[in-house]
Amino acid sequence: MHMTDTNRLAQESSPYLQQHATNPVDWYPWGQEALEKARQENKPILLSIGYTACHWCHVMAHESFEDRETAEVMNQLFINIKVDREERPDLDKIYQTSHYLLTQASGGWPLTLFLTPHDLVPFYSGTYFPRDAHYGLPAFKEILKKVADIYHQHYDEIMQQNTSLLNFLKYQGPASANTELNKQPIQLAIAALQRSYDPINGGFNGAPKFPQPTRLSFLLHQHSSMATTTLEKMARGGICDQLGGGFFRYTVDAKWEIPHFEKMLYDNAQLLLLYTLVSDLTRQALFVDCARHTAHWIIHTMQSSSGGFYSSMDADSEGHEGKYYVWTVQEMESLLTRPEALFTRQYFNFNQPPNFENQWHIHITESSASAEANKLLLSAKEKMLAARQKRVPPFCDKKILTSWNALMIKSMMVAGDQMKQPEFIESAQRAITFIQEKLWVNQRLLASYHEGKAHLPAYLDDYVYLIDALISSLQVSWNTQHLLFAIDLAEILLNHFYDATHHGFYFTANDHEQLLYRPKTMMDEAMPSGNGIAVSVLLNLGYLLGETRYLQAAEKTLQTAWPALMQYPAEHCALLEGLNDFLEPAKIIVIRGKKSDMDIWREKCKQDRHLVFTIPDDEQHLPDALAAKKAIGKTCAYVCQGTQCLDVIDDVEKIILKANNKNLLS
């Protein structure tokens, strides 16, 4: 290849793959062309997995993939395949797990694997490799030559290793017994999280420190101060963009001060929901402002004109990490009046030594108290933000992913409802419409959309997160079509993802491309486990519709996960929330009547863990279980918990008493 040429990645829809289109590496996307060529030429496959906002992916690309000498070795010895882990989480899950089994070390990105061509099993793997030997790592070119030699000279030993690895990957254990489900793993998880909790700074363990929103959600629903303290420390820290809103992915220190500066949609979706819920619980201005600023940033920066939400913002701009976000004192003072500058120096961290490469990345060091101080701060922040917006911004990956959008739809809906912000609700509704119009094709979901092209069969997370988002949407504003859409998705879930033998849900559908094996992930990662969300949504839909198949699948999934819940409870917080929903079902309140009356009833019924649906009395095409809950000439409510229901209630004061009783029938 000539340097001016592009490789096959130029034809791909992923911005991450397109970024590698001018590499001198003869890259292929994942697909039959590359796999067949590897088999025909008996060359091992070099599989490189990364994503747009990944800092070390850019470093390795610049050092090795843009280097002609390294590229020549890669092209000579391997068939080279590049994968965007955000488009192909199925491949990422399979090969991250394989990497862990091979190395006994945690993975990450970039992930670099070497596969045998006929069975696609990895026989050697690592993450980032430098071009030249440093960081205690060998030079990438030396690794390439060594791996190629091993492949050709020790093929039989590799085959033995591959067989063992495949057996590990495919082992599911015995089919689930009818375990008597109880609260024990919930208590074990709280104790485990307490042990790894940082009581000074909040969060878990030391540096680097990740938000871990699924754990915080679990703890918040358990009314634990570990959640509220962590959320407060993060809201004041440098992990939060104090000027523009939104959160960075993690911090390199334990105090939440210095982030890796990429911003991911999935983090911001989950944190928006958490800050909305905690602001509703505590009424603290810090939390309310944090949620509101995050939502505004998402709508104005991360939402496309067609309604879908973009995936991520890079950490780097103009070749430097964090350049868009950091300040010098001189720059800050040149923008502000003297009183503004004096207060800002104190409020943010400008009176301390520089904390990021001789500059300042701001975080809150004190609370603004007086009205005058707040006025100075607001004016200073507006001026600093306006100046920052004139800088060269980080690259935005404008790929629209169904699962991440679904997380954001739910959060926007709940935030708009709790904060009385119609703009947020409208933003979420536009994103639902986008998914229905662009990513729901031939009665199945697609996973990814970019520049007019929707593709890739959707995964478990796409389906369950979207059902969850639709259930939230139905509580904010009833739309029968959204309910019917959620039912369609649930039916696909049972028909194409459910394991009828061992129970639980596979990450890929039964008609998905045949890969090394079908992952069935129970553990939470940066996002909640699809199996955990499946349990919760099937319980909620099952009770709402009187659909026992949904309830049975949810219970069987919990029983299958039970050994993991008991052994590693804190790693399965989404499933623990599902377990809690199973053991103590939420009250479901269906209000029928005229819209003007129903809104008053709804406000009075809204409470933590109540699911409240206001269905106008003239609504058509309702499923039988809801159609039977008729309006009776005036506004009325039907209150159910699990499989128990009360008689219809037509007095708003009586419903408040009944809804608040822990025991429904008392």
Side-chain angles (χ1 to χ4, degrees):
M1 290 179 62
H2 300 295
M3 209 58 188
T4 52
D5 289 347
T6 56
N7 56 45
R8 293 165 193 78
L9 300 185
Q11 307 306 313
E12 292 299 300
S13 63
S14 156
Y16 175 66
L17 298 186
Q18 289 171 4
Q19 285 174 352
H20 292 80
T22 56
N23 293 168
V25 178
D26 190 12
W27 287 119
Y28 288 78
W30 180 273
Q32 281 311 309
E33 184 188 2
L35 304 181
E36 197 53 50
K37 188 173 173 66
R39 285 192 278 266
Q40 284 172 359
E41 298 185 9
N42 190 28
K43 280 186 175 179
I45 291 165
L46 191 166
L47 177 63
S48 174
I49 303 178
Y51 62 100
T52 309
C54 160
H55 175 69
W56 286 101
C57 299
H58 293 309
V59 173
M60 189 166 175
H62 178 63
E63 289 180 349
S64 294
F65 305 149
E66 293 170 14
D67 176 59
R68 177 167 293 286
E69 204 180 315
T70 305
E72 279 175 9
V73 179
M74 290 172 69
N75 296 340
Q76 180 191 341
L77 300 177
F78 300 95
I79 299 300
N80 303 292
I81 298 179
K82 201 76 176 100
V83 165
D84 180 345
R85 68 105 177 179
E86 295 171 354
E87 282 196 338
R88 295 300 304 258
D90 53 341
L91 293 171
D92 189 53
K93 284 180 192 297
I94 286 168
Y95 288 113
Q96 293 282 357
T97 304
S98 303
H99 167 79
Y100 176 75
L101 291 171
L102 282 172
T103 64
Q104 296 300 300
S106 59
W109 302 277
L111 186 66
T112 309
L113 305 109
F114 298 89
L115 320 182
T116 46
H118 68 282
D119 59 7
L120 309 180
V121 178
F123 62 95
Y124 188 86
S125 70
T127 50
Y128 161 78
F129 291 108
R131 182 179 60 188
D132 305 307
H134 58 102
Y135 306 121
L137 295 166
F140 191 44
K141 285 195 291 288
E142 299 312 308
I143 290 284
L144 296 171
K145 291 168 186 169
K146 179 180 153 196
V147 168
D149 283 346
I150 290 170
Y151 174 74
H152 292 292
Q153 292 172 22
H154 299 276
Y155 188 78
D156 291 345
E157 291 139 84
I158 287 173
M159 287 302 97
Q160 286 180 326
Q161 178 180 287
N162 283 7
T163 302
S164 300
L165 184 69
L166 269 177
N167 288 339
F168 264 113
L169 290 169
K170 290 181 176 178
Y171 178 70
Q172 286 211 45
S176 64
N178 291 325
T179 310
E180 191 67 42
L181 301 171
N182 60 61
K183 284 204 162 188
Q184 192 179 355
I186 293 173
Q187 303 308 323
L188 291 172
I190 294 169
L193 290 169
Q194 190 80 57
R195 286 193 295 275
S196 64
Y197 178 66
D198 177 347
I200 296 166
N201 303 301
F204 303 96
N205 303 314
K209 193 166 265 185
F210 290 81
Q212 303 189 37
T214 310
R215 289 180 163 188
L216 295 178
S217 173
F218 166 73
L219 289 169
L220 196 62
H221 289 132
Q222 295 294 322
H223 306 290
S224 166
S225 63
M226 285 188 274
T228 43
T229 301
T230 300
L231 290 167
E232 181 179 346
K233 299 287 187 183
M234 284 170 55
R236 297 172 67 84
I239 194 170
C240 177
D241 181 350
Q242 300 293 344
L243 293 181
F247 287 83
F248 303 107
R249 196 162 79 92
Y250 67 97
T251 54
V252 298
D253 63 290
K255 296 181 179 177
W256 304 110
E257 284 184 12
I258 305 301
H260 253 317
F261 286 87
E262 66 265 40
K263 287 181 175 179
M264 311 302 294
L265 186 71
Y266 61 79
D267 285 325
N268 282 283
Q270 295 175 89
L271 290 168
L272 171 58
L273 182 61
L274 283 169
Y275 279 99
T276 300
L277 296 177
V278 78
S279 62
D280 197 48
L281 284 171
T282 64
R283 308 291 176 191
Q284 275 190 43
L286 176 71
F287 295 145
V288 177
D289 289 348
C290 193
R292 190 175 288 121
H293 290 152
T294 300
H296 281 301
W297 171 72
I298 291 290
I299 291 170
H300 298 302
T301 309
M302 300 299 283
Q303 189 163 26
S304 70
S305 57
S306 52
F309 297 104
Y310 300 139
S311 294
S312 63
M313 300 277 290
D314 267 17
D316 306 13
S317 54
E318 300 182 82
H320 295 280
E321 188 184 3
K323 183 171 183 180
Y324 184 72
Y325 300 100
V326 297
W327 295 86
T328 64
V329 171
Q330 294 78 6
E331 193 181 10
M332 179 271 290
E333 290 186 334
S334 71
L335 298 168
L336 308 181
T337 65
R338 183 165 168 73
E340 286 168 354
L342 281 171
F343 183 72
T344 301
R345 283 188 77 127
Q346 198 173 318
Y347 183 76
F348 293 129
N349 53 327
F350 288 100
N351 286 332
Q352 301 297 317
N355 58 11
F356 185 78
E357 296 178 0
N358 294 316
Q359 296 186 79
W360 282 261
H361 174 58
I362 61 177
H363 60 269
I364 300 173
T365 51
E366 68 165 61
S367 300
S368 58
S370 68
E372 183 58 34
N374 281 330
K375 198 170 158 189
L376 285 173
L377 180 65
L378 190 62
S379 173
K381 282 169 77 172
E382 281 175 0
K383 290 175 184 177
M384 289 173 74
L385 183 60
R388 194 179 86 176
Q389 285 168 342
K390 292 175 185 165
R391 299 174 182 174
V392 176
F395 177 78
C396 178
D397 185 332
K398 294 188 174 179
K399 183 169 71 264
I400 294 167
L401 298 168
T402 302
S403 57
W404 300 10
N405 270 254
L407 288 173
M408 186 56 77
I409 289 164
K410 174 178 179 173
S411 301
M412 264 310 164
M413 277 288 179
V414 175
D417 189 40
Q418 301 277 29
M419 298 185 184
K420 305 288 183 279
Q421 295 276 335
E423 180 193 6
F424 299 174
I425 295 170
E426 193 262 339
S427 164
Q429 286 168 337
R430 284 173 54 221
I432 293 175
T433 302
F434 177 88
I435 289 174
Q436 286 178 308
E437 290 179 354
K438 305 293 187 187
L439 289 152
W440 177 242
V441 179
N442 298 328
Q443 297 299 294
R444 293 289 283 274
L445 277 178
L446 295 173
S448 180
Y449 178 95
H450 187 243
E451 292 181 341
K453 181 186 176 187
H455 73 139
L456 299 170
Y459 310 100
L460 174 64
D461 292 358
D462 298 294
Y463 283 92
V464 296
Y465 295 174
L466 186 53
I467 296 169
D468 198 24
L470 290 166
I471 292 171
S472 292
S473 174
L474 287 165
Q475 293 176 76
V476 174
S477 173
W478 184 264
N479 179 330
T480 301
Q481 292 309 309
H482 287 175
L483 174 63
L484 298 177
F485 188 24
I487 294 169
D488 285 343
L489 297 172
E491 290 299 322
I492 293 166
L493 203 57
L494 290 187
N495 292 331
H496 292 286
F497 290 85
Y498 188 63
D499 179 351
T501 306
H502 291 84
H503 307 293
F505 293 89
Y506 289 111
F507 188 70
T508 53
N510 54 7
D511 52 1
H512 193 80
E513 173 191 354
Q514 291 289 299
L515 299 169
L516 211 52
Y517 74 110
R518 281 178 83 190
K520 189 194 285 182
T521 47
M522 298 288 180
M523 206 175 274
D524 302 316
E525 296 170 14
M527 297 183 291
S529 131
N531 271 284
I533 302 301
V535 168
S536 291
V537 299
L538 288 173
L539 289 171
N540 290 335
L541 265 188
Y543 287 130
L544 181 66
L545 302 171
E547 181 48 82
T548 54
R549 290 177 304 127
Y550 297 173
L551 301 175
Q552 285 164 0
E555 183 176 7
K556 289 287 188 190
T557 300
L558 287 169
Q559 288 173 338
T560 289
W562 191 256
L565 296 187
M566 290 297 289
Q567 193 170 0
Y568 304 107
E571 279 67 49
H572 295 86
C573 285
L575 273 160
L576 294 183
E577 293 216 47
L579 175 64
N580 201 53
D581 290 342
F582 174 81
L583 296 171
E584 293 180 9
K587 289 195 180 75
I588 294 178
I589 303 170
V590 175
I591 302 171
R592 302 297 308 266
K594 291 190 170 48
K595 183 154 179 32
S596 52
D597 297 337
M598 288 194 301
D599 288 347
I600 297 163
W601 282 55
R602 177 175 178 268
E603 284 305 309
K604 294 203 171 189
C605 292
K606 264 170 57 180
Q607 258 204 38
D608 183 34
R609 294 195 75 239
H610 287 181
L611 304 181
V612 184
F613 302 94
T614 52
I615 308 178
D617 51 13
D618 57 355
E619 197 65 34
Q620 303 292 309
H621 309 299
L622 290 170
D624 291 348
L626 289 176
K629 295 177 167 59
K630 292 183 166 64
I632 53 170
K634 57 180 176 174
T635 299
C636 63
Y638 296 83
V639 182
C640 298
Q641 185 171 26
T643 55
Q644 296 180 315
C645 291
L646 298 172
D647 290 337
V648 60
I649 299 170
D650 60 6
D651 179 343
V652 72
E653 298 306 323
K654 192 187 267 187
I655 193 178
I656 296 164
L657 282 173
K658 287 291 184 186
N660 291 347
N661 273 353
K662 193 164 177 65
N663 180 357
L664 187 67
L665 299 180
S666 63

